[in-house]
């Protein structure tokens, strides 16, 4: 009898699993992909789409089509809970899917539950991105919450879109830490200068406590007016793993070993933002790691199903980030190094287009 492998979420690592399945199918394995949208939007191109440099089609992968080409059944649903001991997955609509092996690549969330009923929007899961960004970039005082790579990049891209289309208004950015926290101070300061030079108003070390329809209130008692709030604070976990009783870290991300297997369950695998590696708990929630985990995940799923030994994933020490800053300029960060130029954007554009070509 054939075995059933469930892939949950169409994140970076699962895109790679699908791609490799095109070249090497798994015998006697029935594979299903469960994800809530027909498309996977690529965050590396969010800034370019926001500014108006890329089209919708350039920014996304049609996963229904990709699954069909690889002989994988695509099920458009959102997973809610795992019954790990019963080998079952339950979806939001109550549908139940049995499995022999299951793998998660469902990304992270960003909007804290306290603000679920407010006007604040989050682009995660990422199929919300296009609708929300198209709405907010038209408004006169969009407020970005979060000063990390995603927040600064989208603030700059919305500002660039406004300039390009001669739309009045000013982007605002508020963050509970410094700009680009975790980077050396000269890099944070350089990015802050750049944001301000572009006309973006910045509040650092101030936490949003209330979100009202036309303003937010901070822990300093300041009121900041807005015409829309986009929440890009730090990565939060989906509740699925807590709900299922599998071992999680303090934020609710599934704990995995170096083989990308869950603690206590050899037949549960995970990759990308939704997991924390027990041996590398400090690893940032970044697409670059999800991409590198893809080939190891494919090998390990295949080997687990055929009883072969599994391999370990070991993350690279430093990852390179290039943030788009508008008008085709890039802000490249590699460890303590930083470089802001048109050349850096060209490198980013090349990397992102090559990534998409592999899956589109
Ligand atoms: C504006 C912006 C720019 C960024 N730029 C970069 C960058 O340049 N480099 C970088 O390394 N990182 C970047 N990041 C971070 C990066 O987006 C994430 O780290 C990355 O997307 C995580 O990939 P993933 O594979 O874990 O999941 P995702 O890419 O988030 O994919 C998750 C998938 O799972 C699906 N899903 C979600 N929940 C469920 C569920 N319950 N059931 C079934 N399916 C589900 C989603 O629809 C989606 O298909 C950026 C983030 C943002 C917001």
């Amino acid at each position: 009898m054939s075995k059933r492998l469930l892939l949950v979420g169409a994140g970076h690592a699962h895109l790679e699993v699908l791609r490799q399945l095109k070249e090497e199918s798994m015998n006697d394995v029935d594979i299903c992909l469960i994800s809530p949208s027909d498309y996977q939007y690529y965050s590396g191109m969010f800034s370019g789409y926001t500014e108006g440099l890329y089209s919708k089609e350039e920014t996304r992968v049609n996963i229904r089509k990709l699954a069909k080409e690889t002989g994988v059944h695509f099920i458009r649903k959102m997973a809610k809970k795992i019954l790990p001991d019963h080998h079952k997955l339950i979806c939001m609509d109550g549908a139940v899917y049995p499995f022999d092996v299951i793998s998660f690549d469902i990304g992270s969330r960003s909007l804290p539950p306290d603000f679920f009923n407010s006007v604040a929007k989050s682009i995660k899961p990422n199929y919300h991105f296009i609708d929300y960004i198209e709405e907010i970039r038209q408004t006169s005082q969009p407020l970005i919450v979060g000063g990390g790579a995603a927040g600064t990049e989208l603030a700059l891209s919305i500002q660039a879109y406004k300039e390009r289309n001669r739309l009045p208004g000013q982007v605002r950015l508020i963050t509970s830490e410094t700009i680009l926290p975790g980077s050396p101070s000269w890099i944070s300061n350089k990015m802050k200068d750049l944001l301000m030079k572009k006309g973006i108003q910045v509040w650092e070390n101030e936490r949003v406590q209330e979100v009202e329809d036309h303003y937010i209130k901070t822990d300093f008692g300041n009121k900041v007016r807005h015409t829309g709030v986009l929440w890009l604070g730090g990565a939060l976990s989906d509740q699925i793993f807590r709900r299922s009783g599998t071992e999680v870290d303090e934020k609710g991300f599934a704990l995995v070993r170096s083989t990308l297997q869950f603690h206590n369950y050899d037949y549960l695998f995970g990759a990308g933002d939704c997991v924390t590696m027990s041996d590398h708990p400090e690893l940032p929630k970044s697409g670059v790691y999800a991409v590198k985990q893809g080939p190891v995940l494919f090998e390990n799923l295949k080997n687990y199903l055929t009883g072969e030994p599994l391999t370990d994933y070991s993350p690279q020490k430093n990852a390179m980030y290039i943030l788009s800053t508008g008008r085709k300029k890039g802000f490249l960060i590699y460890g303590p190094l930083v470089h802001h130029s048109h050349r850096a954007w060209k490198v980013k554009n090349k990397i992102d287009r090559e990534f998409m070509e592999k899956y589109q």
Side-chain angles (χ1 to χ4, degrees):
M1 211 173 84
S2 67
K3 291 191 175 152
R4 159 82 63 86
L5 165 64
L6 289 186
L7 302 173
V8 185
H12 298 69
H14 280 175
L15 287 182
E16 180 59 19
V17 169
L18 291 178
R19 193 188 70 80
Q20 296 215 15
L21 279 169
K22 236 183 194 178
E23 290 163 10
E24 188 186 347
S25 59
M26 293 186 194
N27 291 332
D28 296 325
V29 185
D30 170 35
I31 310 173
C32 299
L33 170 70
I34 297 183
S35 207
S37 163
D38 282 9
Y39 296 98
Q40 165 68 353
Y41 291 83
Y42 174 48
S43 60
M45 286 181 144
F46 282 0
S47 51
Y49 180 84
T50 301
E51 186 179 345
L53 302 177
Y54 302 134
S55 70
K56 200 190 280 186
E57 292 311 319
E58 283 171 315
T59 315
R60 66 188 188 180
V61 176
N62 185 331
I63 50 171
R64 184 181 284 280
K65 181 168 154 267
L66 182 61
K68 199 171 172 196
E69 286 165 4
T70 52
V72 168
H73 308 284
F74 176 64
I75 300 166
R76 188 171 157 175
K77 285 189 198 289
M78 188 96 173
K80 184 181 179 189
K81 187 175 176 178
I82 324 157
L83 301 177
D85 296 321
H86 296 91
H87 290 247
K88 285 190 173 126
L89 176 82
I90 303 174
C91 289
M92 287 292 181
D93 64 354
V96 179
Y97 295 93
F99 60 82
D100 294 288
V101 177
I102 192 164
S103 173
F104 290 87
D105 186 9
I106 59 171
S108 51
R109 306 288 174 267
S110 53
L111 189 63
D114 287 354
F115 301 110
F116 278 180
N117 294 321
S118 74
V119 291
K121 302 245 163 94
S122 154
I123 54 179
K124 298 196 168 186
N126 65 26
Y127 61 93
H128 293 305
F129 168 70
I130 298 277
D131 290 345
Y132 291 171
I133 217 70
E134 284 187 353
E135 190 185 317
I136 205 166
R137 70 185 179 182
Q138 299 293 340
T139 74
S140 59
Q141 289 171 328
L143 176 71
I144 304 293
V145 180
T152 49
E153 198 182 34
L154 282 195
L156 287 160
S157 305
I158 295 175
Q159 193 69 23
Y161 174 82
K162 287 186 169 302
E163 271 176 32
R164 212 178 145 94
N165 294 284
R166 296 200 174 82
L167 290 177
Q170 179 198 39
V171 179
R172 300 165 157 209
L173 185 151
I174 185 157
T175 178
S176 59
E177 298 176 87
T178 54
I179 294 296
L180 301 181
S183 297
S185 57
W186 70 89
I187 296 185
S188 297
N189 291 338
K190 200 170 158 84
M191 177 52 93
K192 187 177 173 189
D193 288 349
L194 183 64
L195 288 161
M196 295 197 305
K197 223 167 101 194
K198 296 271 181 179
I200 297 167
Q201 205 173 346
V202 177
W203 288 263
E204 278 182 301
N205 301 309
E206 227 171 312
R207 185 174 290 278
V208 175
Q209 271 189 338
E210 284 171 38
V211 177
E212 301 298 337
D213 289 357
H214 303 293
Y215 67 90
I216 59 99
K217 225 170 161 183
T218 73
D219 53 354
F220 284 13
N222 282 330
K223 278 183 178 178
V224 178
R225 286 187 65 78
H226 68 76
T227 50
V229 178
L230 193 60
W231 202 287
L232 291 156
L236 304 174
S237 172
D238 186 278
Q239 286 304 305
I240 186 166
F241 305 119
R242 280 215 167 107
R243 236 180 248 137
S244 311
T246 56
E247 260 190 67
V248 292
D249 70 3
E250 69 285 356
K251 287 188 171 167
F253 294 109
L255 282 169
V256 295
R257 295 169 263 160
S258 299
T259 51
L260 304 176
Q261 288 168 296
F262 278 38
H263 281 199
N264 301 329
Y265 291 101
D266 285 354
Y267 48 92
L268 267 60
F269 287 77
D273 279 10
C274 70
V275 302
T276 291
M277 298 188 70
S278 332
D279 292 344
H280 303 280
E282 72 300 335
L283 213 62
K285 303 287 182 203
S286 289
V288 283
Y289 298 104
V291 169
K292 297 277 184 202
Q293 286 168 343
V296 178
L297 182 65
F298 175 76
E299 277 307 304
N300 284 355
L301 289 172
K302 192 181 69 177
N303 290 353
Y304 183 80
L305 283 157
T306 51
E308 306 282 322
L310 307 193
T311 49
D312 286 345
Y313 163 76
S314 50
Q316 70 264 42
K317 217 164 157 231
N318 275 320
M320 180 179 76
Y321 295 93
I322 306 177
L323 311 181
S324 171
T325 60
R327 296 187 176 211
K328 299 193 176 177
K329 270 184 107 172
F331 191 87
L332 182 153
I333 309 169
Y334 187 68
L337 304 176
V338 64
H339 177 68
H340 185 212
S341 66
H342 286 291
R343 207 159 146 215
W345 185 88
K346 274 191 188 158
V347 174
K348 174 175 168 55
N349 180 50
K350 186 167 181 287
I351 294 171
D352 290 337
R353 285 194 182 278
E354 281 173 3
F355 176 82
M356 290 303 270
E357 263 168 32
K358 281 164 72 179
Y359 308 107
Q360 278 176 330

